[in-house]
Amino acid sequence: MGRARSRVGIWLDGRTPLVSDWNTKIIEEFRANGGAVGGQFAGAPLLLLHTVGARSGQRRVNPVMYQKVDGGYAVFASKAGAPVNPDWYHNLLAHPQVTAEIGTETVELAARVAEGDERERIWAAQKAAYPGFADYERKTTRQIPVIVLEPARS
């Protein structure tokens, strides 16, 4: 018996949840609990990143871990060490004006990719605080992008 495949390439065999279903559960829990979630993200700083699709123009929401940095927040396009960047990263490059839900607040932010010493400093701190990110780095040959989200200027 063959396995059915979804449009996004995830097996629909009952063993692997659809990413959108997994994200939806986290988003619902985040909003119901003022920004707190359990499971693998219990106690971790999590925000809901609102982007606009690079090709589709549709609004997207993704839960991502963040790190507070001077003047804003850093997020990491790790995709659990997959060989390609997550879709939300491409959305940020195309449309850097974003919104984020952080706790019970919603803020307007501008995204930029951190480079050089800034990237290395932020990335090293993230790996030290959350060793799973070092595992992601070992699993891939790409450099995992670090994105800084800063308050949008009006």
Side-chain angles (χ1 to χ4, degrees):
M1 180 172 181
R3 293 183 283 184
R5 211 176 226 276
S6 75
R7 286 187 296 122
V8 294
I10 298 172
W11 293 107
L12 301 174
D13 59 5
R15 293 179 294 170
T16 306
L18 286 168
V19 172
S20 61
D21 290 345
W22 184 77
N23 281 353
T24 298
K25 290 176 185 173
I26 293 171
I27 292 165
E28 289 171 353
E29 184 178 1
F30 180 100
R31 289 176 174 159
N33 296 299
V37 298
Q40 73 184 68
F41 293 114
L46 195 70
L47 61 78
L48 300 183
L49 182 62
H50 295 246
T51 62
V52 174
R55 289 185 303 232
S56 70
Q58 293 182 350
R59 298 202 171 275
R60 307 284 188 206
V61 180
N62 289 280
V64 294
M65 283 185 65
Y66 73 89
Q67 177 190 133
K68 285 192 83 127
V69 296
D70 288 342
Y73 311 91
V75 294
F76 311 90
S78 65
K79 199 174 181 181
V84 296
N85 292 318
D87 291 343
W88 62 259
Y89 173 72
H90 301 289
N91 295 346
L92 289 178
L93 295 179
H95 306 285
Q97 300 303 314
V98 300
T99 303
E101 293 176 58
I102 305 169
T104 58
E105 279 190 76
T106 300
V107 293
E108 300 293 323
L109 301 164
R112 65 175 176 81
V113 178
E115 297 185 6
D117 291 342
E118 179 188 37
R119 183 210 176 271
E120 294 309 316
R121 179 179 39 79
I122 295 168
W123 181 240
Q126 188 68 12
K127 291 188 298 182
Y130 298 94
F133 283 88
D135 292 338
Y136 301 155
E137 184 176 52
R138 282 189 289 276
K139 288 171 60 177
T140 188
T141 57
R142 67 184 170 90
Q143 182 179 65
I144 295 173
V146 173
I147 300 90
V148 176
L149 306 173
E150 299 167 316
R153 296 197 172 105
S154 349

